[in-house]
Amino acid sequence: MHQIRRSVCPLDCPDTCSILATVEDGRVVRLEGDPEHPFTGGFLCGKVARYQERVYSPDRLLYPMKRVGPKGTGRFERITWDEALDTVARRLASVAREHGGEAILPYSYGGTMGIVQRNAGHRFFHRLGASRLARTICSPAATVGFNATVGASLGPDPESIVHSDYIVIWGQNTAVVNLHLMPFIKKARRAGARLVAVDPYRNDTARLADLHLCVRPGTDAALALGIMHVLVAEGRIDRDYVAEHTLGFEALSARVLAEYPVERAAAITGIPEEKIRSVAREYGAARAPFIRIGDGLSRHSNGGMAVRTIACLPGLVGAFAKKGGGALQSTGGSFAINEAYVRMPELSPPTREINMVKLGETLAPDFRPPVKGLFVYHSNPAAVAPDQARVLCGLRREDLFTVVHEQVHTDTVDYADVALPATTFLEHGDLYKSYGHLYIQKAEPAIAPVGEAKSNLEVFQLLAARMGFDEECFGETLESQIRGVLDVSAPALEGIGHSQVADCRPHRLRVEAETYARGFPTPSGRLEFYCESLARQGFDPLPRYEPCFQEEEAGQGALHLLAPPSKHFLNSTFGAVPSLVARAGRPTLLIHPDDARARGVRDGGTVRAHNSRGECRLTAVVTEDTPPGVVVAASVWWPKHSPEGKGINHLVSQKTTDFGGGSTFHCNLVYVSAGSGRGDS
Ligand SMILES: Nc1nc2c(c(=O)[nH]1)N[C@H]1C(S)=C(S)[C@@H](COP(=O)(O)OP(=O)(O)OC[C@H]3O[C@@H](n4cnc5c(=O)[nH]c(N)nc54)[C@H](O)[C@@H]3O)O[C@H]1N2
Ligand SMILES: Nc1nc2c(c(=O)[nH]1)N[C@H]1C(S)=C(S)[C@@H](COP(=O)(O)OP(=O)(O)OC[C@H]3O[C@@H](n4cnc5c(=O)[nH]c(N)nc54)[C@H](O)[C@@H]3O)O[C@H]1N2
Ligand SMILES: [Mo]
């Protein structure tokens, strides 16, 4: 007997697919894309289509465990939930008593994007008076930068891209990370749209494009300013739109005319002048140009300003007012739901905030006041966080009590004092929004929890009870929290309440495709070429280009490392699926033939990549897909699946972005040498 259950992909990906799960005898045997969901369009990516392998993986944590070997060795003994919860509650209470609540750090990110489960720990840690975590590892620079120009990440509706005649994918490997947008792009191209990709290497998406602008990493703002120069100098501006809907055009045009002639933009970006001119002319002439801005390009020290600058382009040509035009960074701002309802920030005393990008620094023995208790859930910092050597060093500290609530036996679990088994999305319910489309959907569990796994919500409810937190909110059901999240009066949510989402089908927000048609949610109500609020924070109020590195940082032979997502993984989530790990092969480094030759590196050989933070070994792929000076390592491998247990994030720094304190995964210099084994350099 089999049944089809509706579900939603909980992974941190813009596509948020609607899923049909086939269940036989209580086991999930097949997952398929929901044909009724307009964005999912009836298919899943190659990763999630195999998610059932992950549910029943030999790496799955099935019961609570306590550590019996040295930290990092992953040796555990089974314990009961009662013993686990008692231990965790007792240890957290003693840390709080001896060192203060701030000595406890919750660390969580995007393992599940479900609104209730993702936020279920917040009220607990707020009540505990723990340090607050600034969840910055992904895209704050892009969000802050985009919003400085247009006010909020509202859209346009990604589905409207079918009406565009000129599509620019800027800093995103869409065919890998936003796969379900591709059918819409294909449709637009069938109707004649041109596709341009702006990326420092020829990724899977650039390969499909009509034109690939191979920009030097971290120089996108200069490219956008060069394009603006052409638009202004040649009068390819929508004057009426500019006058009515934008702020600061005179100042912007003075700057681009004086400071960003095409020759300068070409010298900075490495893109020939003629290409910059022709792209600017095509962009200016297009009926409805659409720019898909990836968060990838924002993971540089100058990334926020780069995104803000690109977001100005549609303002010059009036593209936001055209069906199929505009610039899309995220649709997240359109979901007017009340997530604070789950988080309850009002429970927190004024505690310090710790930037998650700086976990390595935070766990160092000299950090004051110290962190003595760490609670990791739905994140895998031992694999995904920057400056891996520092992170692992911190996790090894004997005086740090570490709890890890996880589905599978990750590297982070290896460092836990107590490991708790977590349910997957097929085993718990939740409400899901998206950052890449405009549908909201609820999901019920498709199967019973595997082993003794418990959801985030259950774990924090049980712990709250053990800690003696007797406020009613610590017993609040999932249903009641979903009701609270949706209980807002916003036009986008009209007719989408608790009882409507109960059908577990996708519900489209009540928003228009041209999301800024009624004005921009900026302080001036206009698209801000000139942004006063940036000026108040000490930034340049106008778009500008600032180099990522100082000259002296780039020593001889340094190469620019990009560490973007792999097609076979989603962050580190699929390290627990052997068939996907096998497909991904081994950790590789794309390197240009000239750079390979100069270093005696051969295709398929082992290379050592290193910098002041550490080193790791990878297999060289010698290819012209990457230009001279740039190397690319698809991520994120589990360190324990990497040579010598060292992942690429050994080479990534804890440096943060200009806006928002974000991560800089693509803004690192490395040295590469040929080498086969340990010890050579
Ligand atoms: N298969 C798969 N899908 C995923 C993920 C995954 O790991 N695997 N991760 C998910 C998550 S958490 C996120 S946040 C999103 C990520 O999605 P986005 O951040 O929107 O896009 P990415 O493709 O990660 O961005 C990486 C691309 O940016 C390019 N890039 C790097 N530096 C620059 C630059 O200076 N200029 C320009 N123009 N481009 C640059 C890289 O070369 C690469 O092609 O994807 C989600 N989807
Ligand atoms: N080199 C490099 N590093 C990167 C990136 C990159 O592009 N390159 N991308 C960065 C980005 S954009 C991001 S967003 C981060 C993402 O980093 P993370 O959010 O840490 O993402 P994952 O590595 O997928 O880890 C999520 C973990 O949560 C667990 N999990 C899933 N659901 C649940 C649940 O309901 N409860 C509990 N308790 N656990 C659950 C999963 O088993 C998984 O191990 O990585 C960053 N790291
Ligand atoms: Mo992310």
Side-chain angles (χ1 to χ4, degrees):
M1 250 293 282
H2 76 264
Q3 290 170 305
I4 307 285
R5 297 286 176 81
R6 297 187 153 274
S7 192
V8 180
C9 179
L11 298 178
D12 188 351
C13 167
D15 295 4
T16 318
C17 289
S18 180
I19 293 179
L20 301 180
T22 306
V23 177
E24 269 175 27
D25 300 327
R27 278 175 76 92
V28 175
V29 294
R30 191 166 52 245
L31 298 177
E32 289 162 300
D34 177 357
E36 282 173 38
H37 190 291
F39 202 74
T40 305
F43 76 99
L44 294 178
C45 67
K47 308 176 294 301
V48 175
R50 292 168 173 269
Y51 196 92
Q52 69 275 19
E53 290 180 38
R54 192 174 183 276
V55 173
Y56 307 109
S57 160
D59 274 323
R60 189 77 199 264
L61 297 186
L62 296 173
Y63 35 75
M65 302 187 296
K66 71 175 180 202
R67 180 168 67 86
V68 293
K71 291 198 176 195
T73 58
R75 284 171 43 215
F76 291 98
E77 192 176 277
R78 180 175 182 172
I79 53 175
T80 62
W81 266 106
D82 272 335
E83 182 181 348
L85 293 166
D86 285 341
T87 308
V88 174
R90 183 171 39 80
R91 293 292 300 268
L92 292 183
S94 87
V95 168
R97 201 168 47 243
E98 286 166 37
H99 305 278
E102 286 188 334
I104 295 167
L105 179 68
Y107 192 95
S108 72
Y109 199 68
T112 174
M113 297 295 280
I115 293 156
V116 177
Q117 301 292 354
R118 183 180 200 205
N119 293 305
H122 283 58
R123 45 176 87 168
F124 174 81
F125 290 108
H126 288 329
R127 170 71 170 74
L128 196 54
S131 288
R132 284 165 304 127
L133 185 72
R135 290 175 169 79
T136 49
I137 202 162
C138 184
S139 55
T143 306
V144 175
F146 192 77
N147 293 354
T149 301
V150 301
S153 301
L154 295 185
D157 181 354
E159 292 170 59
S160 74
I161 205 168
V162 297
H163 302 293
S164 176
D165 59 337
Y166 196 78
I167 299 169
V168 184
I169 294 187
W170 204 318
Q172 187 192 54
N173 192 359
T174 313
V176 166
V177 305
N178 193 184
L179 179 62
H180 290 80
L181 186 63
M182 294 309 287
F184 296 90
I185 293 178
K186 284 196 186 116
K187 193 166 174 200
R189 292 181 86 187
R190 278 200 297 275
R194 190 164 157 77
L195 179 66
V196 178
V198 186
D199 206 283
Y201 84 106
R202 187 157 60 215
N203 62 22
D204 288 356
T205 311
R207 218 184 285 289
L208 300 172
D210 298 302
L211 177 68
H212 173 207
L213 295 179
C214 191
V215 67
R216 270 192 199 116
T219 67
D220 300 270
L223 176 59
L225 289 157
I227 292 173
M228 290 182 203
H229 176 101
V230 178
L231 293 173
V232 173
E234 299 184 0
R236 297 171 190 276
I237 301 292
D238 183 336
R239 296 259 158 213
D240 293 341
Y241 185 87
V242 164
E244 211 173 315
H245 298 289
T246 72
L247 182 76
F249 175 71
E250 295 310 322
L252 176 70
S253 52
R255 166 163 291 179
V256 297
L257 288 176
E259 296 177 37
Y260 296 95
V262 178
E263 306 75 63
R264 180 166 181 235
I268 295 170
T269 61
I271 298 171
E273 286 175 38
E274 263 331 293
K275 273 197 184 171
I276 297 178
R277 280 204 187 87
S278 69
V279 164
R281 287 172 189 151
E282 288 167 11
Y283 185 78
R287 175 178 40 81
F290 190 111
I291 306 179
R292 178 64 169 112
I293 305 182
D295 296 328
L297 86 109
S298 77
R299 295 187 187 115
H300 287 270
S301 55
N302 61 7
M305 187 56 106
V307 170
R308 144 148 178 78
T309 302
I310 295 164
C312 290
L313 283 166
L316 292 173
V317 298
F320 278 118
K322 316 262 177 71
K323 193 171 188 174
L328 169 68
Q329 181 256 331
S330 156
T331 57
S334 287
F335 290 81
I337 55 169
N338 181 10
E339 282 186 64
Y341 182 89
V342 182
R343 295 179 179 161
M344 303 187 74
E346 65 277 13
L347 290 182
S348 181
T351 57
R352 68 175 169 187
E353 188 177 68
I354 285 177
N355 185 331
M356 72 188 301
V357 171
K358 301 199 180 265
L359 182 65
E361 212 171 86
T362 305
L363 295 183
D366 59 354
F367 187 78
R368 292 288 172 272
V371 171
K372 295 282 191 179
L374 176 70
F375 196 121
V376 181
Y377 56 114
H378 64 100
S379 182
N380 184 9
V384 304
D387 213 345
Q388 198 165 87
R390 305 282 107 61
V391 170
L392 298 184
C393 189
L395 290 175
R396 233 175 261 125
R397 261 175 48 206
E398 275 304 324
D399 65 328
L400 178 71
F401 174 67
T402 302
V403 184
V404 181
H405 183 215
E406 245 303 345
Q407 296 166 341
V408 291
H409 205 127
T410 60
D411 290 81
T412 307
V413 168
D414 287 340
Y415 292 84
D417 290 286
V418 176
L420 306 172
T423 43
T424 68
F425 73 104
L426 294 163
E427 301 151 56
H428 59 236
D430 214 330
L431 178 70
Y432 297 88
K433 63 173 187 177
S434 170
Y435 61 94
H437 61 62
L438 294 170
Y439 302 84
I440 192 161
Q441 188 172 355
K442 186 186 159 189
E444 302 269 10
I447 53 171
V450 171
E452 295 181 3
K454 292 189 190 296
S455 71
N456 293 1
L457 179 60
E458 280 177 278
V459 166
F460 288 110
Q461 286 181 337
L462 290 165
L463 274 177
R466 291 281 197 300
M467 305 281 296
F469 299 168
D470 50 16
E471 294 87 342
E472 236 174 78
C473 64
F474 293 107
E476 189 178 5
T477 62
L478 179 76
E479 285 308 316
S480 165
Q481 297 197 40
I482 290 177
R483 191 188 304 273
V485 165
L486 289 173
D487 186 18
V488 274
S489 64
L493 285 177
E494 214 168 289
I496 310 178
H498 181 250
S499 53
Q500 282 82 14
V501 299
D503 64 2
C504 293
R505 287 172 189 269
H507 291 265
R508 194 183 196 282
L509 297 181
R510 311 278 186 255
V511 293
E512 295 162 47
E514 299 95 78
T515 22
Y516 302 98
R518 301 212 186 118
F520 293 88
T522 53
S524 65
R526 291 162 169 252
L527 182 149
E528 298 196 348
F529 298 133
Y530 181 94
C531 178
E532 184 60 43
S533 69
L534 283 181
R536 276 199 303 274
Q537 297 166 65
F539 295 109
D540 195 323
L542 285 172
R544 70 180 290 142
Y545 164 72
E546 198 81 63
C548 280
F549 300 106
Q550 304 304 320
E551 291 294 328
E552 62 274 15
E553 281 179 79
Q556 237 202 329
L559 300 172
H560 193 123
L561 171 71
L562 308 174
S566 155
K567 176 177 172 177
H568 305 289
F569 297 146
L570 196 125
N571 301 323
S572 75
T573 293
F574 289 94
V577 177
S579 65
L580 288 169
V581 175
R583 276 193 198 187
R586 54 180 71 166
T588 54
L589 189 73
L590 309 190
I591 183 167
H592 187 271
D594 294 350
D595 288 329
R597 208 171 304 118
R599 291 163 181 77
V601 167
R602 53 177 188 82
D603 188 47
T606 301
V607 292
R608 171 176 176 259
H610 64 103
N611 59 21
S612 60
R613 290 173 286 281
E615 62 167 344
C616 59
R617 272 163 221 281
L618 305 115
T619 300
V621 175
V622 178
T623 169
E624 289 187 354
D625 283 346
T626 190
V630 177
V631 286
V632 183
S635 305
V636 182
W637 283 84
W638 279 12
K640 56 174 129 181
H641 295 164
S642 309
E644 296 169 19
K646 293 179 179 171
I648 197 70
N649 286 331
H650 267 81
L651 306 180
V652 171
S653 84
Q654 299 177 58
K655 171 177 71 184
T656 51
T657 51
D658 49 358
F659 303 169
S663 57
T664 54
F665 287 102
H666 307 314
C667 196
N668 297 280
L669 296 174
V670 296
Y671 299 87
V672 173
S673 54
S676 49
R678 184 179 261 287
D680 52 55
S681 59

